[in-house]
Amino acid sequence: GAGVSQSPSNKVTEKGKDVELRCDPISGHTALYWYRQSLGQGLEFLIYFQGNSAPDKSGLPSDRFSAERTGGSVSTLTIQRTQQEDSAVYLCASSIGQGKNEQFFGPGTRLTVL
Amino acid sequence: GQSLEQPSEVTAVEGAIVQINCTYQTSGFYGLSWYQQHDGGAPTFLSYNALDGLEETGRFSSFLSRSDSYGYLLLQELQMKDSASYFCAADTGRRALTFGSGTRLQVQP
């Protein structure tokens, strides 16, 4: 079956512009995560969705960041008024449940803010 | 707070055995996962330890000691394709995993 897909694979934008990043999780996976990874660094948790529960937004670095998950499937991460420090790879993952359950990662979106 | 410590880089030769350590300080702990990430690729799951002891999966094994807040990933019969970054990640019950900063493994011929 298909894995986690993300689009676009690369995004170059100018400082101050808004961007939208998309994630299509594996069908049937109720949990969806967004992480951010700067070059040579670890994964920084951003936001987590589980079924119809309220999302865990505790990792969002500022109010410029928001995310939605429509119909329990596709998710969109929006960054408003982008800054240069937002440049990173944004990774989406999905899993059947939470915690110990294996997370399946997408290929990521490389965001460059000029 | 939550923190996981790993060495930043490890170098080993083909055919050798290498151990990547991970110590953690978390409020709440349910288990430790390991992920592999090749340059430019997505992280892929390797193992999960919820109980103390060694879990073996082919050439890779993972160990956990909850009393020492410590775990390690053991890679045997190293191959060039094992060159990658390896991340430990704690399941703290917060729903999302908390990742370490990663260990870059270089396998030399």
Side-chain angles (χ1 to χ4, degrees):
Chain A
V4 178
S5 61
Q6 293 186 244
S7 61
S9 55
N10 279 284
K11 177 72 177 178
V12 180
T13 190
E14 293 180 345
K15 177 181 173 181
K17 301 284 190 183
D18 298 351
V19 296
E20 282 190 355
L21 313 179
R22 178 188 167 104
C23 171
D24 281 271
I26 293 173
S27 177
H29 281 191
T30 59
L32 186 147
Y33 313 78
W34 283 98
Y35 295 90
R36 178 168 71 175
Q37 186 175 33
S38 299
L39 188 63
Q41 300 298 310
L43 282 72
E44 175 190 4
F45 164 70
L46 296 177
I47 188 169
Y48 162 83
F49 296 90
Q50 170 61 46
N52 295 320
S53 302
D56 178 352
K57 305 179 182 180
S58 60
L60 295 178
S62 78
D63 58 9
R64 296 186 295 105
F65 288 73
S66 63
E68 290 185 337
R69 188 178 187 192
T70 54
S73 181
V74 171
S75 177
T76 303
L77 177 70
T78 301
I79 308 173
Q80 297 179 308
R81 306 181 301 282
T82 51
Q83 304 295 312
Q84 289 184 329
E85 61 262 29
D86 299 335
S87 295
V89 175
Y90 289 81
L91 290 160
C92 173
S94 70
S95 67
I96 295 172
Q98 65 186 55
K100 70 174 184 179
N101 290 288
E102 175 181 353
Q103 293 186 18
F104 294 81
F105 283 82
T109 294
R110 181 175 298 279
L111 174 66
T112 303
V113 182
L114 301 176
Chain B
Q2 324 277 18
S3 71
L4 291 90
E5 297 289 331
Q6 312 178 228
S8 59
E9 195 165 327
V10 173
T11 302
V13 298
E14 220 174 350
I17 300 172
V18 71
Q19 179 174 312
I20 299 174
N21 297 321
C22 174
T23 57
Y24 58 88
Q25 283 187 308
T26 60
S27 52
F29 179 83
Y30 290 85
L32 193 70
S33 296
W34 288 91
Y35 283 77
Q36 178 192 60
Q37 185 180 30
H38 287 98
D39 284 349
T44 56
F45 174 83
L46 293 176
S47 66
Y48 177 81
N49 293 65
L51 303 175
D52 284 1
L54 192 68
E55 298 269 350
E56 298 183 56
T57 310
R59 295 188 297 114
F60 292 5
S61 301
S62 56
F63 173 83
L64 177 66
S65 169
R66 297 172 72 105
S67 59
D68 294 322
S69 299
Y70 164 75
Y72 65 73
L73 180 69
L74 190 73
L75 297 85
Q76 303 182 70
E77 300 171 19
L78 280 175
Q79 302 176 8
M80 297 299 290
K81 68 178 182 180
D82 297 331
S83 293
S85 292
Y86 293 84
F87 296 88
C88 57
D91 171 11
T92 64
R94 283 187 62 245
R95 297 186 277 185
L97 296 174
T98 301
F99 282 82
S101 56
T103 298
R104 188 174 183 85
L105 171 64
Q106 287 193 311
V107 180
Q108 298 178 337

